[in-house]
């Protein structure tokens, strides 16, 4: 596919169909290899490549000299072979000459250490010198390549904030003060928001204010929260500065930067970033440190569903994932046969209209030489290459589904800012990590086969029947009002423990927990009784057949009902006899509260009960471990069936399977590890 032939599948979507692609770093290889590269790309059906992500030092060997010859040659070669280019601005890895001439562009950590060059992404986002150097390069690239026929989209920097999310240098300190002066009308307002009456922290002059650098004991919580907000905004400003140059010099070509929507990477508020992108692109890597292998498909689905939320439900671009192992975990698990296709199709099922990988050819040198790629070290007579070619074929056939939308009636509210506030410590327990709980709730819904959209606080929820709000420690009034509207209009809302405790300034909402949601939930908790790490409590219920079998951990509360009914009570533990799960009828709907971290089976059973009340169902019934998602649009509907289990499964469906290229008349059997995408017939 060539860029000039590219049609838009959605708003400003740059490629037609569902393209296969990857990061391509030809500068790591002699030019003789390039011809072989493009031949193999054609064999696999590669439709796009991201070029130049880490090439600044090659493109600009010194401040006055640009060297574009190699990039000209590779772009021409790609174009001649029908491969579209996602051209990177190359600003992700500043060259050594910049660090040498301007060491003040390097980031300073929490403890005051300036980090040395020698890796990648070492720049202070507030540095005007870095900004000017980056924009000089972007200006030169955009001037040269705006009209190149291979150019399909622009790729600003790379995973912005991955290694340099927070810089504590003096330049950052000054920028932080300017940001605070825009946020607060005066110092009195800042002192009030930061609660500086505590520990004699009043500020009498803006110049006294610093980033929350390493100090004796807890830094001011609101200072930390505002610094996290500032840092996200400051990194976003590096994106918008480059984007604006590209829009001026290369109008009409979409601009993106690849997000890292993953549970453990939470330092950018992507709800703020999303509206600045021409299209949402995302990188996802399975992480064996976070999830056991059998839970990984659900974690992937969580990230993809949240990415779709960032894309407003429309198509998004999977910029990177891996064909097999990565190199950056303690043990880098290789993918099992079939997993590459299942992982890719799960992203597509959840709205990705392009499937990209890091990277084309496995490096022979450098810090990522053991990272998998489309072309492994061992060459093309390999499982990975055969599966890449298979994927290219499947995506070509599934391309007819491009532009259709994933169907969901259930939403999970996710908020990076609430996570920053919760994870900074000095709370009732340090065992409650924010992202664990949205992921656990999503996993329970995944087991039930229910497709879920990720939504932002304050989102319009009128299109949903069931909304879950996990551990939303911080909630502002607008968010609370939207949730109330949703319930009153007939929605089923589930809020879990450790929610609504503080306002947007991280001040306790007084009068009892969970402050922001007390009224909506019809209850009041007077004291929190967190549980030690190895401790759990048992639950009893009049109307659920689970007496003593459901357990809770991490958190309990001494709760009094104030209009709600108790669905389950604690059998034992510090608040034995008190409500653990409640339900409050409000308007045409109901607000449920779960006051403890339920075990997975209990969470699944409870959510099943609420889903029944909400009339939410899976697209098609399937056994646990079989992922079934529907995408539909004007061209029809497509049922994605991904069997992550170890036994064959049979699904009731009628249509044509684009993977096996067979008619399915009434039922379809998918082998263990297998995948199907059925164009449904009615
Ligand atoms: C991503 C990054 C790539 C590569 C990859 C390895 O975070 O964008 O450049 O480092 O990880 O998994």
């Amino acid at each position: 596919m060539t860029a000039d032939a590219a049609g838009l599948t959605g708003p400003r979507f740059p490629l037609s169909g569902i393209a296969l692609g990857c990061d391509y770093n030809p500068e790591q290889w002699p030019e003789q290899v390039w011809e072989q590269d493009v031949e193999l790309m054609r064999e696999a059906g590669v439709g796009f490549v991201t070029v130049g992500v880490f090439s600044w030092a090659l493109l600009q060997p010194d401040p006055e000299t640009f060297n574009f010859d190699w990039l000209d040659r590779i772009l021409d070669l790609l174009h001649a072979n029908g491969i579209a280019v996602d051209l990177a601005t190359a600003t992700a890895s500043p060259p050594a000459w910049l660090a040498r001439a301007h060491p003040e562009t390097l980031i300073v950590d929490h403890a005051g250490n300036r980090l040395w060059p020698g890796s990648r992404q070492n720049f202070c986002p507030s540095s005007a010198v870095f900004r000017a150097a980056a924009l000089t390069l972007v200006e030169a690239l955009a001037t040269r390549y705006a009209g190149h026929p291979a150019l399909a989209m622009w790729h600003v920097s790379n995973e912005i904030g991955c290694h340099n999310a927070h810089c504590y240098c003096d330049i950052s300190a000054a920028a932080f003060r300017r940001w605070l002066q825009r946020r607060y009308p005066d110092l009195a307002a800042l002192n009030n928001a930061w609660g500086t009456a505590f520990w004699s922290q009043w500020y009498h002059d803006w110049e006294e204010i610093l980033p929350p650098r390493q100090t004796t004991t807890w830094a001011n919580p609101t200072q930390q929260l505002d610094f996290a907000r500032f840092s996200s905004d400051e990194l976003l400003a590096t994106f918008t500065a480059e984007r604006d140059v590209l829009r001026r010099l290369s109008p009409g070509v979409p601009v993106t930067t690849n997000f890292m929507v993953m549970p453990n990477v939470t330092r950018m508020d992507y709800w703020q970033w999303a509206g600045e992108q021409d299209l949402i692109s995302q990188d996802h890597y399975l992480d064996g440190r976070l999830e056991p292998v059998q839970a990984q498909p659900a974690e992937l689905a969580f990230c993809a569903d949240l990415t779709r939320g960032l894309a407003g439900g429309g198509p998004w671009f999977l910029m990177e994932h891996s064909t097999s192992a990565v190199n950056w975990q303690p043990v880098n698990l290789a993918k099992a046969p079939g997993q590459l296709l299942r992982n890719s199709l799960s992203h597509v099922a959840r709205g990705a209209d392009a499937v990209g990988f890091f990277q084309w050819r496995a490096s022979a040198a450098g810090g990522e030489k053991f990272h998998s790629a489309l072309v492994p070290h061992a060459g093309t007579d390999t499982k990975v290459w055969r599966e890449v070619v298979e994927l290219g074929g499947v995506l070509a056939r599934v391309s007819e589904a491009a532009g259709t939308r994933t169907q969901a009636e259930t939403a999970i509210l996710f908020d990076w800012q609430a996570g920053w506030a919760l994870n900074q410590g000095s709370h009732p327990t340090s065992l409650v990590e924010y992202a664990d709980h949205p992921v656990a709730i999503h996993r329970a819904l995944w087991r039930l086969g229910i497709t879920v959209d990720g939504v932002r606080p304050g989102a319009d929820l009128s299109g949903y029947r069931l909304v879950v709000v996990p551990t939303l420690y911080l909630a502002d009034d607008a968010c609370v009002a939207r949730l109330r509207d949703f319930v009153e209009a007939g929605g089923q809302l589930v809020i879990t423990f450790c929610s609504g405790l503080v306002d947007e300034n991280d001040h306790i909402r007084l009068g009892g927990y969970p402050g922001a949601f007390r009224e909506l939930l019809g209850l009041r908790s007077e004291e929190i009784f967190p549980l030690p790490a190895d401790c759990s409590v048992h639950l009893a219920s009049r109307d659920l057949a689970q007496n003593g079998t459901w357990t809770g951990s991490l958190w309990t509360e001494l709760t009094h009902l104030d209009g709600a009914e108790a669905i389950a009570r604690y059998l034992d533990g510090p608040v034995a006899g008190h409500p653990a799960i409640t339900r409050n009828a409000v308007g045409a709907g109901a607000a449920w509260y779960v006051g403890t971290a339920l075990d997975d089976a209990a969470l699944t059973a409870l959510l099943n009960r609420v889903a029944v009340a909400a009339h939410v169902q899976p697209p098609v019934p399937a056994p646990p471990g079989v992922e079934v998602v529907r995408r539909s649009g004007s061209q029809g509907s497509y049922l994605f069936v991904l069997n992550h289990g170890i036994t064959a499964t049979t699904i009731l469906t009628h249509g044509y399977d684009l993977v096996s290229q067979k008619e399915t008349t009434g039922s379809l059997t998918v082998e263990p590890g297998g995948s199907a995408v059925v164009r449904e017939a009615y």
Side-chain angles (χ1 to χ4, degrees), residues 84-436:
V85 170
D86 167 39
L87 187 55
T89 59
T91 53
S93 205
W97 56 256
L98 184 66
R100 184 172 174 218
H102 294 285
E104 76 279 12
T105 60
L106 300 171
I107 67 161
V108 170
D109 72 10
H110 185 232
N113 302 310
R114 194 172 288 285
L115 303 190
W116 293 93
S119 182
R120 67 175 171 183
Q121 208 177 59
N122 190 349
F123 62 85
C124 164
S126 302
S127 163
V129 172
F130 167 76
R131 176 77 60 89
L135 295 188
T136 301
L137 176 63
V138 176
E139 182 106 27
L141 274 166
T143 304
R144 191 169 188 96
Y145 296 109
H148 196 286
L151 178 69
M153 59 196 274
W154 287 102
H155 181 107
V156 169
S157 192
N158 191 63
E159 290 192 341
I160 299 176
C162 181
H163 309 296
N164 64 345
H166 294 165
C167 177
Y168 296 82
C169 75
D170 289 341
I171 293 168
S172 300
F176 183 39
R177 287 190 287 271
R178 289 193 295 276
W179 183 92
L180 291 167
Q181 283 170 330
R182 291 194 295 274
R183 183 173 175 89
Y184 298 105
D186 51 31
L187 262 185
L190 177 138
N191 278 311
N192 184 39
W194 285 20
T196 55
F198 179 80
W199 282 356
S200 186
Q201 292 176 350
W202 284 284
Y203 294 101
H204 300 287
D205 187 321
W206 288 100
E207 291 302 309
E208 294 165 1
I209 300 173
L210 294 170
R213 292 173 176 157
Q214 192 171 51
T215 182
T216 50
T217 180
W218 301 295
N220 180 301
T222 319
Q223 177 191 15
Q224 293 185 63
L225 179 58
D226 271 351
F227 187 68
R229 290 169 171 148
F230 153 79
S231 299
S232 175
D233 286 357
E234 207 66 353
L235 286 157
L236 176 57
T238 66
F239 168 81
T240 54
E242 291 193 26
R243 180 204 62 193
D244 291 349
V245 171
L246 297 168
R247 282 187 179 167
R248 173 165 51 81
L249 296 171
S250 181
V253 179
V255 184
T256 189
T257 189
N258 42 344
F259 287 179
M260 300 165 285
V261 178
M262 285 178 262
N264 61 339
V265 183
T266 59
R267 289 170 296 180
M268 269 61 57
D269 181 354
Y270 285 133
W271 294 124
Q272 307 287 330
W273 287 53
E276 303 291 347
Q277 313 292 313
D278 290 335
L279 71 137
I280 299 297
S281 62
Q282 150 77 347
D283 296 351
H284 181 267
Y285 291 94
L286 299 175
D287 193 338
R289 296 167 302 183
L290 297 177
E291 304 287 343
V293 170
Q294 61 279 17
Q296 287 180 350
E299 187 273 341
L300 182 159
F302 169 81
C303 298
D305 289 343
L306 189 49
T307 305
R308 185 174 67 258
L310 290 160
W316 53 277
F317 204 108
L318 178 65
M319 191 64 80
E320 295 178 21
H321 68 151
S322 66
T323 57
S324 192
V326 298
N327 64 292
W328 40 265
Q329 296 172 20
V331 178
N332 296 296
L333 299 181
K335 290 191 179 177
Q339 195 180 355
L340 168 56
L341 181 61
R342 285 200 316 281
N343 289 167
S344 300
L345 289 178
S346 181
H347 287 291
V348 175
R350 295 168 192 280
D353 270 5
V355 175
F357 291 88
F358 176 85
Q359 60 176 329
W360 167 249
R361 198 177 267 281
S363 297
E368 296 185 319
K369 57 185 172 297
F370 284 106
H371 197 291
S372 61
L374 278 75
V375 183
H377 292 147
T380 52
D381 185 10
T382 50
K383 155 197 147 258
V384 166
W385 177 253
R386 282 186 284 276
E387 293 200 11
V388 164
V389 174
E390 180 196 15
L391 173 65
V394 170
L395 291 182
R397 295 193 292 279
V398 174
S399 276
E400 63 175 69
T404 55
R405 292 194 164 217
T406 306
Q407 303 300 312
E409 296 174 320
T410 301
I412 284 186
L413 193 149
F414 187 89
D415 183 22
W416 279 276
Q417 295 199 18
W420 300 336
L422 177 59
N423 290 353
Q424 61 178 239
S426 186
H427 288 131
T429 170
S430 59
L431 300 178
V432 177
E433 276 279 320
Y434 175 64
D436 292 350

